[in-house]
Amino acid sequence: MGLVVVRDAEAVLTMDSAGTVLRRQSILIQDNRIVAIGDYGSLVSGFGSPDEVVDGRGKVVLPGFYDMHTHVAMAGFRGLASDVGDVIYRVFWPLERSLDGDTVYRFALLGGLEAVKSGVVLVADHYFFMDHVARALSEVGVRGLLGHTYMDRDGPFTGERELRAGLEFVDRWSGHELVVPVLAPHAPDTVTRENLRYLGELARERNLFLHMHLAQTLREFRVVREETGYTPVRYVERLGLLGRRTIVAHANYVDENEKALLAHSGSLVVQCPSTYMLSGTPFHAYDYWQLGGNVAVGTDAPCYNDNSDFFEEMRLLVYGQRVKFERSSVWRAYDLLEMVTRQSARFVGLDGGYIGRGALADLVLVDLSSVRLRPFLNPYANLVYATSSGDVDTVIVNGRVVVRGKRHLFLDEERVVNQAEAASRILLRRALDEDPELERIIGVDKVI
């Protein structure tokens, strides 16, 4: 990829351990690493003329975001779930039964494009037809911590074939430049005890991440307790599934002891605030953080919150917890940016999430020309509380410029949108033919 320089940035938020902010500095990238930071003239003198210059004037540079729980292909369901209750079982599963690989690929291109244009450089995605999601995200140019969803029962795709698909996905994508494959049992109510244990043991043997939903819904809570005598958190803890290589999404239906159990287990607890606030579900992000737990932010499905604006997700995390605790001292803006950059990178095991010599070159440039971002006195507060995805000008992933001037450099954005739109309408019609009850649930006459 040669030499790339981000030149004369108005501010560089390094997100290093000291929280250093640099002014009017340039960043030199060679291949996929940051090799120097300093005055542009000095960098050219020391390393030679760059192959590509990214204009940093009027922009703030910061490390890219880690979206630690999402389903990007569900962008194809946008608008169908926001005003419907119990959407997983009444809307998503009936729609997903009509999915095929090509449709998932088109949806994942749309969702991945939306994510990277929001400043996301890594997505932890958990979905069906994961080979097609991985191919789409590779074309978008983002990192993926990706797992093929496995279920034994209830869901749209279940059984031995799906287990085999999940294991084959791990083998096929191991060693990829951008994709890290993981094991992805859906949840403790949809996977048998035997297969939960099997996948947990396999994850330990092969040093793989385990990514699962946990204590997400009341239905899950009741099913697990009725069948096992334990709550979901205590059940998976007894099965040995928690730990430093486990990513737990949601963990909303928990008691105080279970919060401490999760925090002290070393597992990563991912919170998706826009989903919870839209559905009226309580969440406990600040509790986990105060207990010393590993906490990260996810956007969940783009059809739960109907967008993947990562800046919005960060501030909703703050807003939701400040309302819960009725005080304004819940987190600082810096805490949120640290959580979604350096801390998430550390959990994943990547030398990134900060800007410094030797770090992975995963960078976001935010355009400061918007009236919402001026005056630019407190960069952390401006980014968390005032910025939106539309302010992202440039995204660099693994040393490669993938978004510049607010446009993706390698994808035809209009074609991606049009193909996803067409595939969504075809899927909806197919699903309605299979399950006419869907028409009443989602009010299809209002959307097509």
Side-chain angles (χ1 to χ4, degrees), residues 21 68 88 91 118 145 156 181 192 249 263 306 308 323 358 383 395 410 431 436:
V21 177
M68 291 304 297
I88 295 173
V91 178
S118 182
L145 197 68
T192 63
D306 284 327
S308 291
V323 168
L383 286 168
V395 181
F410 311 110

Side-chain angles (χ1 to χ4, degrees), residues 13-15 60-70 72 112 114-124 141-145 296-299 308-315 333-346 348 350 352-355 360-367 379-398 402:
L13 276 59
T14 65
M15 300 311 300
V60 59
V61 186
L62 68 158
F65 303 137
Y66 285 56
D67 184 345
M68 291 304 297
H69 179 74
T70 188
V72 293
E114 183 179 12
V116 76
K117 293 185 72 174
S118 182
V120 170
V121 297
L122 180 145
V123 296
V142 296
R143 300 182 186 277
L145 197 68
V297 176
T299 56
S308 291
D309 187 329
F310 206 83
F311 296 94
E312 179 179 83
E313 209 70 49
M314 284 191 288
R315 58 180 160 266
Y334 177 85
D335 297 326
L336 268 292
L337 288 172
E338 184 182 46
M339 183 188 297
V340 302
T341 56
R342 183 162 53 89
Q343 289 181 352
S344 291
R346 182 178 60 193
V348 171
L350 290 177
Y354 69 99
I355 298 176
L360 287 169
D362 295 340
L363 307 176
V364 173
L365 279 70
V366 173
D367 182 359
Y380 301 113
N382 278 33
L383 286 168
V384 172
Y385 301 125
T387 304
S388 72
S389 59
D391 299 312
V392 172
D393 179 86
T394 302
V395 181
I396 301 170
V397 183
N398 207 37
V402 294

Side-chain angles (χ1 to χ4, degrees), residues 262-284:
L262 281 169
H264 299 158
S265 73
S267 303
L268 184 70
V269 181
V270 187
Q271 301 282 272
C272 308
S274 60
T275 292
Y276 312 144
M277 296 179 78
L278 186 65
S279 62
T281 303
F283 63 105
H284 315 292

Side-chain angles (χ1 to χ4, degrees), residues 154-353:
D154 292 343
F157 303 101
T158 60
E160 184 66 27
R161 178 179 175 182
E162 294 303 303
L163 180 59
R164 189 166 59 251
L167 300 179
E168 289 173 352
F169 174 80
V170 169
D171 292 335
R172 202 158 30 243
W173 288 86
S174 292
H176 190 274
E177 183 180 27
L178 293 176
V179 173
V180 175
V182 310
L183 295 175
H186 177 261
D189 63 325
T190 55
V191 181
T192 63
R193 180 193 305 261
E194 293 73 24
N195 279 328
L196 283 172
R197 277 186 170 147
Y198 169 68
L199 291 171
E201 290 169 0
L202 186 61
R204 284 191 293 273
E205 288 172 9
R206 299 187 58 176
N207 198 32
L208 299 169
F209 283 102
L210 195 74
H211 183 177
M212 66 187 302
H213 304 86
L214 181 63
Q216 178 183 13
T217 66
L218 280 174
R219 171 172 159 169
E220 174 201 335
F221 184 91
R222 290 165 181 158
V223 167
V224 173
R225 188 168 59 180
E226 288 171 5
E227 294 185 352
T228 72
Y230 299 100
T231 61
V233 171
R234 288 184 169 88
Y235 177 54
V236 300
E237 192 270 338
R238 288 180 65 86
L239 294 178
L241 299 183
L242 301 179
R244 277 285 302 141
R245 302 288 284 179
T246 299
I247 300 169
V248 166
H250 310 308
N252 296 327
Y253 293 94
V254 294
D255 62 28
E256 295 304 313
N257 289 330
E258 289 169 336
K259 292 176 188 176
L261 189 158
L262 281 169
H264 299 158
S265 73
S267 303
L268 184 70
V269 181
V270 187
Q271 301 282 272
C272 308
S274 60
T275 292
Y276 312 144
M277 296 179 78
L278 186 65
S279 62
T281 303
F283 63 105
H284 315 292
Y286 194 64
D287 290 327
Y288 291 123
W289 192 73
Q290 287 284 74
L291 287 164
N294 296 313
V295 181
V297 176
T299 56
D300 211 351
C303 60
Y304 262 132
N305 54 16
D306 284 327
N307 73 81
S308 291
D309 187 329
F310 206 83
F311 296 94
E312 179 179 83
E313 209 70 49
M314 284 191 288
R315 58 180 160 266
L316 287 180
L317 191 74
V318 178
Y319 295 168
Q321 298 300 270
R322 287 185 180 178
V323 168
K324 174 183 175 180
F325 289 98
E326 299 181 349
R327 65 174 190 261
S328 61
S329 59
V330 173
W331 284 310
R332 302 165 301 157
Y334 177 85
D335 297 326
L336 268 292
L337 288 172
E338 184 182 46
M339 183 188 297
V340 302
T341 56
R342 183 162 53 89
Q343 289 181 352
S344 291
R346 182 178 60 193
F347 185 90
V348 171
L350 290 177
D351 187 14

Side-chain angles (χ1 to χ4, degrees), residues 16-39:
D16 62 11
S17 57
T20 307
V21 177
L22 305 174
R23 302 281 181 174
R24 311 292 189 295
Q25 294 288 285
S26 299
I27 303 167
L28 179 69
I29 299 166
Q30 186 167 33
D31 298 325
N32 69 339
R33 297 275 174 175
I34 296 170
V35 296
I37 303 171
D39 173 78

Side-chain angles (χ1 to χ4, degrees), residues 1 49 113 157-158 171 253 331 374 404 413 421 436:
M1 287 180 277
S49 297
L113 178 62
F157 303 101
T158 60
D171 292 335
Y253 293 94
W331 284 310
R374 295 293 184 170
R404 191 169 186 174
E413 294 190 17
E421 176 90 24

